[in-house]
Amino acid sequence: MTSEVGQVAGAERIDVDLVPGGLSVVTVSGSNPVDHAAVVAAIDEAGYEWVAETP
C-alpha cells in the first residue's frame, strides 16, 4: 500500500499501523496539502477498503 499511496502528489511520509484482521491506520503527510480523494483511490488500488476518517 505504501508504494501506491507514495505516488500521490504531495505525499512525503506514509505511516501504516497494520492490524491484521482489524482496522489499520494510515497517516499521510506532506509539506503541501495532499488530495484526500487521491489517497482513498490509492488505498483502493492497493486492494484495501477505506473505512473511516479521523482528524
Side-chain angles (χ1 to χ4, degrees), residues 18-45:
L18 186 61
V19 180
L23 293 177
S24 299
V25 176
V26 178
T27 304
V28 181
S29 58
S31 56
N32 293 309
V34 179
D35 182 354
H36 177 266
V39 172
V40 172
I43 290 171
D44 182 59
E45 181 180 314

